[in-house]
Amino acid sequence: MSAVATRTILHVDMDAFFVSVELLRRPELRGQPVIVGGTGERGVVAAASYEARHYGIHSAMPSTRARRLCPHAVFLPGDHQHYGEVSARVMEIFVSFTPLVEPISLDEAFLDVTGARRLHGAGAQIATAIRTKVLEDEGLACSVGVAPNKCLAKLASEAAKPRASRGGPVPGLGVKVVAPGDELGFLHPLPVEALWGVGPKTLEKLRRRGISTVGDLAGMAEDDAATFLGNANGRHLHRLARAVDDRPVVPEQRPKPIGHEQTFARDHHELDSLQREVVRMADAVASRLRHHGLAGRTVTIKVRFHDFRTITRALTLPAAVDSGPAVARAAKQLLDLVDPSTGIRLLGVSVSNLVDDAARQLSLDESLQPGWDDASRAVDDIRGRFGDEAIVPAALRGPEGIRVKRRGDQQWGPG
């Protein structure tokens, strides 16, 4: 048996994470249908309690539809910063069992515990210990899938989940183990859309071929799957359908782009107002870059028009930057190329092509006009001591007061 075949992979998925964190702060809401997400007309659901899920409410659903399904639901706007802090503590619990932890999002991660079995026991024992530790330390529940590879572990964690009911979550298995040798028996009866990579378009193609289960797909010839699904995607899905997945758990990922975006309560039609939003987002993006010790060369704006048509525009700079003015300057250049007259409902600013800040080289302009590095450090120091609103670009002050952009602010739509 190969080393890959004998791996023990865990997929840990927090149960209704955002809602569960909120209920720790609002215990009086327990037992009620609670929804975290955008509360306005353009908001979307980020998470729903199991009581709310009973009414058919799920993440990414428009908040207006969720209200129609459950008029008495309690809507909470969400607190991304707090969720990030809780997530960081949960991830530290995972790391206490194995250094091989690959976060997928704030509320889920893969763990390779193959090397931890001698110390902590078999996969099921480790999974149970993790669930106990998370509950004791954070008051939160999670579901864990245990399997020889990542695809099976994720599917197993889903099988371990609680079920929704009007009276709250109906407990599930908590831990689901797919033992070596049982992979196909677990996998093949599942609907084919359970596989990673089977989206709506792929599912439509599969159904037209009469393929409804993972077993149906596995029974095809690999060349046939490659022909009608595309070579790379078809072969990948066919391998997954046969429980072949040798992807490793990767604890250190390349830095992802850092950005902010916002859906506006009302469309913007003038560049002047959008330029102020760019300054606000650029200031927040640059602050996060410096917090992580990063700088980036590529600045991208994302624009969604009133009819949901979405475009992106990017500019790659000669040198990596991490100051608000530098990010805003590039983003404004890109925004100047956009006609907002028909109405813009969403705007985003992000920085990618990231490098460690210590490794970046000063551009000629920066070397001739020093000062932004020192100014940015001073801004960070003041905000660290007195809060985000203690010092801001002048453009962020208006009749309604100071409007800073925080991570996750309006992530799920305006209030």
Side-chain angles (χ1 to χ4, degrees):
M1 186 175 289
S2 70
V4 169
T6 60
R7 291 186 303 167
T8 301
I9 308 299
L10 272 54
H11 180 258
V12 186
D13 196 358
M14 305 301 295
D15 296 340
F17 180 60
F18 298 153
V19 168
S20 298
V21 172
E22 290 294 343
L23 291 178
L24 291 175
R25 301 195 289 188
R26 304 280 299 275
E28 71 277 9
L29 297 178
R30 291 190 183 278
Q32 299 187 46
V34 177
I35 297 170
V36 170
T39 57
E41 292 298 310
R42 294 180 172 180
V44 296
V45 174
S49 69
Y50 286 95
E51 291 85 351
R53 294 182 192 188
H54 172 73
Y55 293 89
I57 297 169
H58 56 78
S59 62
M61 174 182 285
S63 297
T64 51
R65 174 165 169 72
R67 279 199 179 87
R68 289 196 297 270
L69 291 172
C70 186
H72 61 288
V74 178
F75 275 79
L76 300 175
D79 185 345
H80 195 280
Q81 180 175 339
H82 181 56
Y83 305 152
E85 293 168 355
V86 176
S87 173
R89 296 197 299 267
V90 170
M91 296 297 168
E92 284 299 314
I93 292 174
F94 300 164
V95 172
S96 71
F97 287 87
T98 173
L100 299 178
V101 176
E102 180 181 342
I104 305 301
S105 62
L106 290 180
D107 60 347
E108 60 177 317
F110 286 108
L111 289 69
D112 187 334
V113 297
T114 307
R117 293 180 300 199
R118 179 173 296 181
L119 178 62
H120 296 293
Q125 292 175 276
I126 297 174
T128 300
I130 287 174
R131 295 186 74 235
T132 300
K133 181 72 172 171
V134 171
L135 183 61
E136 289 177 348
D137 288 8
E138 297 296 334
L140 299 169
C142 60
S143 301
V144 186
V146 184
N149 63 48
K150 293 171 81 172
C151 177
L152 288 169
K154 184 168 176 62
L155 293 171
S157 71
E158 183 64 31
K161 284 281 185 183
R163 301 191 313 277
S165 77
R166 183 189 296 269
V170 177
L173 295 173
V175 175
K176 170 64 177 178
V177 178
V178 180
D182 295 339
E183 296 95 337
L184 300 184
F186 167 75
L187 183 60
H188 281 181
L190 296 176
V192 72
E193 59 266 32
L195 290 179
W196 262 346
V198 178
K201 291 184 178 179
T202 301
L203 179 60
E204 183 180 350
K205 292 180 181 179
L206 290 167
R207 284 178 172 168
R208 285 203 300 264
R209 293 287 295 262
I211 296 169
S212 60
T213 68
V214 177
D216 293 338
L217 178 57
M220 293 183 63
E222 183 175 329
D223 287 343
D224 288 346
T227 297
F228 84 96
L229 293 178
N231 186 60
N233 189 46
R235 295 187 188 280
H236 172 66
L237 290 177
H238 193 264
R239 285 170 58 85
L240 293 184
R242 292 180 288 117
V244 178
D245 180 12
D246 57 5
R247 292 171 299 171
V249 172
V250 183
E252 293 187 8
Q253 303 283 332
R254 287 179 59 84
K256 296 179 180 178
I258 288 179
H260 284 288
E261 63 181 43
Q262 179 170 344
T263 298
F264 304 118
R266 288 178 292 277
D267 291 348
H268 282 247
H269 297 268
E270 303 292 337
L271 273 178
D272 285 348
S273 62
L274 290 166
Q275 298 281 21
R276 287 193 293 273
E277 295 297 336
V278 161
V279 171
R280 192 160 68 98
M281 293 183 193
D283 178 67
V285 169
S287 179
R288 285 177 59 197
L289 284 169
R290 296 192 300 273
H291 175 75
H292 292 289
L294 297 170
R297 288 187 59 208
T298 301
V299 177
T300 301
I301 65 168
K302 175 181 175 182
V303 177
R304 180 166 296 150
F305 295 93
H306 76 291
D307 59 357
F308 289 90
R309 180 171 62 93
T310 303
I311 63 171
T312 58
R313 298 290 184 267
L315 176 63
T316 297
L317 305 171
V321 298
D322 68 354
S323 73
V327 175
R329 188 161 52 245
K332 284 181 177 181
Q333 289 182 43
L334 297 167
L335 187 62
D336 284 341
L337 304 176
V338 177
D339 178 9
S341 59
T342 59
I344 291 176
R345 62 181 287 129
L346 176 146
L347 179 66
V349 175
S350 64
V351 176
S352 58
N353 203 356
L354 303 179
V355 298
D356 287 338
D357 185 55
R360 72 187 178 103
Q361 295 182 341
L362 290 178
S363 69
L364 179 61
D365 286 344
E366 288 176 304
S367 61
L368 293 176
Q369 299 177 7
W372 275 121
D373 280 352
D374 291 341
S376 294
R377 282 195 292 270
V379 167
D380 293 340
D381 289 343
I382 292 170
R383 288 175 174 171
R385 185 173 179 182
F386 299 107
D388 290 341
E389 298 182 1
I391 181 169
V392 299
L396 303 192
R397 182 172 178 83
E400 70 277 17
I402 292 173
R403 297 174 60 240
V404 298
K405 182 71 177 171
R406 296 181 174 89
R407 186 178 183 186
D409 183 25
Q410 295 194 3
Q411 178 173 352
W412 303 296

